Amino acid sequence: MHIIFFMIGVSLMMALGFLGAFFWSMRNGQHDDLYTPSMRILLDDTDSASTTDVPNN
């Protein structure tokens, strides 16, 4: 029975550790996307190009 209480305590400590690491990474900008903005200029944007290129008759 003591091992169950020990394992519950260990799992709670691990969960709090992972939660703390997640909040730390969010605060320090670890999840900022630096790749997509630089690639956005290379992608074709057909919706805005088709509406501006068509003359009104």
Side-chain angles (χ1 to χ4, degrees):
M1 189 67 176
H2 294 299
I3 192 69
I4 292 174
F5 293 132
F6 176 74
M7 294 301 288
I8 289 173
V10 168
S11 65
L12 286 175
M13 290 300 222
M14 287 179 61
L16 289 174
F18 283 121
L19 186 64
F22 173 73
F23 284 130
W24 173 81
S25 67
M26 292 300 291
R27 186 178 56 231
N28 288 333
Q30 296 291 320
H31 297 288
D32 289 343
D33 186 12
L34 301 176
Y35 181 70
T36 303
S38 64
M39 295 300 293
R40 192 172 296 147
I41 194 146
L42 300 175
L43 300 175
D44 242 356
D45 191 15
T46 57
D47 293 336
S48 64
S50 65
T51 58
T52 58
D53 293 339
V54 177
N56 292 336
N57 287 336

